[in-house]
Short mmCIF file of all heavy atoms in Angstrom, two decimals:
data_model
loop_
_atom_site.label_atom_id
_atom_site.label_comp_id
_atom_site.label_asym_id
_atom_site.label_seq_id
_atom_site.Cartn_x
_atom_site.Cartn_y
_atom_site.Cartn_z
N ARG A 928 -56.07 -7.09 12.92
CA ARG A 928 -56.85 -7.14 14.15
C ARG A 928 -57.93 -6.23 14.10
O ARG A 928 -59.17 -6.64 14.21
CB ARG A 928 -55.87 -6.82 15.40
CG ARG A 928 -56.67 -6.96 16.65
CD ARG A 928 -55.87 -6.67 17.83
NE ARG A 928 -55.05 -5.51 17.86
CZ ARG A 928 -54.21 -5.08 18.80
NH1 ARG A 928 -54.03 -5.85 19.83
NH2 ARG A 928 -53.66 -3.98 18.68
N SER A 929 -57.85 -4.92 13.67
CA SER A 929 -58.94 -4.01 13.64
C SER A 929 -59.84 -4.45 12.55
O SER A 929 -61.06 -4.28 12.64
CB SER A 929 -58.44 -2.60 13.44
OG SER A 929 -57.82 -2.33 12.21
N THR A 930 -59.31 -4.99 11.38
CA THR A 930 -60.20 -5.43 10.27
C THR A 930 -61.13 -6.50 10.79
O THR A 930 -62.38 -6.43 10.49
CB THR A 930 -59.33 -5.94 9.17
OG1 THR A 930 -58.51 -4.83 8.64
CG2 THR A 930 -60.09 -6.52 8.00
N LEU A 931 -60.54 -7.45 11.42
CA LEU A 931 -61.47 -8.68 11.78
C LEU A 931 -62.37 -8.30 12.90
O LEU A 931 -63.55 -8.60 12.89
CB LEU A 931 -60.55 -9.82 12.36
CG LEU A 931 -59.61 -10.40 11.26
CD1 LEU A 931 -58.72 -11.52 11.79
CD2 LEU A 931 -60.49 -11.05 10.14
N VAL A 932 -62.03 -7.41 13.84
CA VAL A 932 -62.88 -7.07 14.95
C VAL A 932 -64.01 -6.14 14.39
O VAL A 932 -65.19 -6.43 14.67
CB VAL A 932 -62.13 -6.26 16.03
CG1 VAL A 932 -63.05 -5.67 17.11
CG2 VAL A 932 -61.21 -7.28 16.79
N VAL A 933 -63.68 -5.13 13.67
CA VAL A 933 -64.74 -4.24 13.09
C VAL A 933 -65.63 -4.98 12.12
O VAL A 933 -66.78 -4.70 12.17
CB VAL A 933 -64.07 -2.98 12.42
CG1 VAL A 933 -65.12 -2.13 11.65
CG2 VAL A 933 -63.40 -2.19 13.47
N SER A 934 -65.18 -5.78 11.26
CA SER A 934 -65.89 -6.56 10.34
C SER A 934 -66.93 -7.45 11.09
O SER A 934 -68.11 -7.51 10.70
CB SER A 934 -65.10 -7.43 9.40
OG SER A 934 -64.21 -6.69 8.71
N ALA A 935 -66.44 -8.08 12.12
CA ALA A 935 -67.43 -8.97 12.89
C ALA A 935 -68.49 -8.12 13.55
O ALA A 935 -69.74 -8.45 13.68
CB ALA A 935 -66.65 -9.83 13.90
N VAL A 936 -68.06 -7.03 14.06
CA VAL A 936 -69.04 -6.07 14.84
C VAL A 936 -70.12 -5.53 13.84
O VAL A 936 -71.28 -5.47 14.20
CB VAL A 936 -68.30 -4.97 15.60
CG1 VAL A 936 -69.26 -3.90 16.05
CG2 VAL A 936 -67.48 -5.59 16.68
N VAL A 937 -69.61 -5.15 12.63
CA VAL A 937 -70.49 -4.56 11.60
C VAL A 937 -71.54 -5.60 11.22
O VAL A 937 -72.76 -5.39 11.14
CB VAL A 937 -69.70 -4.11 10.46
CG1 VAL A 937 -70.69 -3.91 9.19
CG2 VAL A 937 -69.05 -2.90 10.78
N VAL A 938 -71.08 -6.89 10.88
CA VAL A 938 -72.10 -7.90 10.58
C VAL A 938 -73.07 -8.23 11.70
O VAL A 938 -74.22 -8.41 11.50
CB VAL A 938 -71.24 -9.25 10.06
CG1 VAL A 938 -72.18 -10.34 9.83
CG2 VAL A 938 -70.52 -8.91 8.78
N ALA A 939 -72.56 -8.32 12.88
CA ALA A 939 -73.39 -8.60 14.04
C ALA A 939 -74.48 -7.38 14.24
O ALA A 939 -75.61 -7.74 14.53
CB ALA A 939 -72.54 -8.75 15.25
N ALA A 940 -73.96 -6.20 14.02
CA ALA A 940 -74.85 -5.13 14.17
C ALA A 940 -75.98 -5.12 13.03
O ALA A 940 -77.16 -4.90 13.41
CB ALA A 940 -74.13 -3.73 14.07
N PHE A 941 -75.49 -5.41 11.82
CA PHE A 941 -76.54 -5.61 10.70
C PHE A 941 -77.50 -6.70 11.03
O PHE A 941 -78.76 -6.52 10.83
CB PHE A 941 -75.87 -5.81 9.37
CG PHE A 941 -75.55 -4.53 8.65
CD1 PHE A 941 -74.51 -3.69 9.07
CD2 PHE A 941 -76.25 -4.15 7.58
CE1 PHE A 941 -74.16 -2.58 8.37
CE2 PHE A 941 -75.95 -3.00 6.88
CZ PHE A 941 -74.95 -2.23 7.32
N TYR A 942 -76.97 -7.78 11.61
CA TYR A 942 -77.95 -8.85 11.87
C TYR A 942 -78.94 -8.49 13.04
O TYR A 942 -80.09 -8.76 12.89
CB TYR A 942 -77.12 -10.01 12.40
CG TYR A 942 -77.84 -11.34 12.53
CD1 TYR A 942 -78.15 -12.20 11.53
CD2 TYR A 942 -78.56 -11.61 13.77
CE1 TYR A 942 -78.91 -13.40 11.67
CE2 TYR A 942 -79.34 -12.86 13.92
CZ TYR A 942 -79.46 -13.59 12.90
OH TYR A 942 -80.27 -14.76 12.99
N GLY A 943 -78.44 -7.82 14.00
CA GLY A 943 -79.28 -7.34 15.09
C GLY A 943 -80.25 -6.39 14.74
O GLY A 943 -81.48 -6.50 15.08
N ILE A 944 -79.95 -5.49 13.73
CA ILE A 944 -80.94 -4.37 13.34
C ILE A 944 -81.95 -4.97 12.29
O ILE A 944 -83.11 -4.93 12.47
CB ILE A 944 -80.15 -3.22 12.70
CG1 ILE A 944 -79.36 -2.49 13.75
CG2 ILE A 944 -81.05 -2.27 11.95
CD1 ILE A 944 -78.29 -1.42 13.23
N PHE A 945 -81.41 -5.61 11.19
CA PHE A 945 -82.23 -5.96 10.17
C PHE A 945 -83.03 -7.31 10.36
O PHE A 945 -84.06 -7.57 9.84
CB PHE A 945 -81.48 -5.99 8.85
CG PHE A 945 -81.09 -4.62 8.40
CD1 PHE A 945 -79.76 -4.30 8.52
CD2 PHE A 945 -81.99 -3.77 7.93
CE1 PHE A 945 -79.37 -2.97 8.16
CE2 PHE A 945 -81.61 -2.44 7.57
CZ PHE A 945 -80.33 -2.12 7.66
N VAL A 946 -82.37 -8.26 11.02
CA VAL A 946 -83.02 -9.56 11.25
C VAL A 946 -83.79 -9.66 12.48
O VAL A 946 -85.02 -9.95 12.64
CB VAL A 946 -81.96 -10.74 11.18
CG1 VAL A 946 -82.60 -12.10 11.51
CG2 VAL A 946 -81.29 -10.78 9.84
N THR A 947 -83.03 -9.33 13.65
CA THR A 947 -83.66 -9.53 14.95
C THR A 947 -84.67 -8.35 15.21
O THR A 947 -85.87 -8.65 15.57
CB THR A 947 -82.60 -9.46 16.08
OG1 THR A 947 -81.69 -10.48 15.80
CG2 THR A 947 -83.23 -9.77 17.40
N ALA A 948 -84.30 -7.16 15.13
CA ALA A 948 -85.18 -5.89 15.52
C ALA A 948 -86.31 -5.61 14.42
O ALA A 948 -87.41 -5.56 14.88
CB ALA A 948 -84.24 -4.72 15.74
N LEU A 949 -85.84 -5.55 13.18
CA LEU A 949 -86.73 -5.20 12.19
C LEU A 949 -87.48 -6.36 11.52
O LEU A 949 -88.45 -6.12 10.85
CB LEU A 949 -86.13 -4.29 11.14
CG LEU A 949 -85.56 -2.98 11.65
CD1 LEU A 949 -84.83 -2.25 10.47
CD2 LEU A 949 -86.61 -2.07 12.20
N ASN A 950 -86.99 -7.47 11.74
CA ASN A 950 -87.45 -8.78 11.06
C ASN A 950 -87.77 -8.60 9.57
O ASN A 950 -88.89 -8.94 9.10
CB ASN A 950 -88.81 -9.11 11.84
CG ASN A 950 -89.24 -10.58 11.59
OD1 ASN A 950 -88.35 -11.44 11.18
ND2 ASN A 950 -90.48 -10.95 11.74
N THR A 951 -86.82 -8.01 8.90
CA THR A 951 -86.86 -7.85 7.39
C THR A 951 -86.73 -9.29 6.73
O THR A 951 -86.24 -10.17 7.31
CB THR A 951 -85.85 -6.84 6.97
OG1 THR A 951 -84.51 -7.44 7.18
CG2 THR A 951 -85.91 -5.54 7.53
N SER A 952 -86.92 -9.27 5.38
CA SER A 952 -86.83 -10.44 4.69
C SER A 952 -85.41 -10.60 3.95
O SER A 952 -85.33 -11.39 3.09
CB SER A 952 -87.90 -10.52 3.56
OG SER A 952 -87.70 -9.41 2.68
N ILE A 953 -84.50 -9.96 4.46
CA ILE A 953 -83.17 -10.05 3.97
C ILE A 953 -82.65 -11.53 4.15
O ILE A 953 -82.89 -12.16 5.21
CB ILE A 953 -82.08 -9.06 4.69
CG1 ILE A 953 -80.76 -9.10 3.94
CG2 ILE A 953 -82.00 -9.35 6.14
CD1 ILE A 953 -79.92 -8.00 4.49
N PRO A 954 -82.03 -12.13 3.07
CA PRO A 954 -81.54 -13.53 3.31
C PRO A 954 -80.48 -13.63 4.34
O PRO A 954 -79.56 -12.78 4.39
CB PRO A 954 -80.93 -13.80 1.92
CG PRO A 954 -81.46 -12.78 0.97
CD PRO A 954 -81.69 -11.53 1.76
#
Side-chain angles (χ1 to χ4, degrees):
R928 181 171 57 179
S929 66
T930 296
L931 295 174
V932 169
V933 171
S934 298
V936 168
V937 165
V938 172
F941 269 74
Y942 188 90
I944 293 169
F945 292 106
V946 176
T947 307
L949 298 176
N950 198 23
T951 61
S952 60
I953 186 172

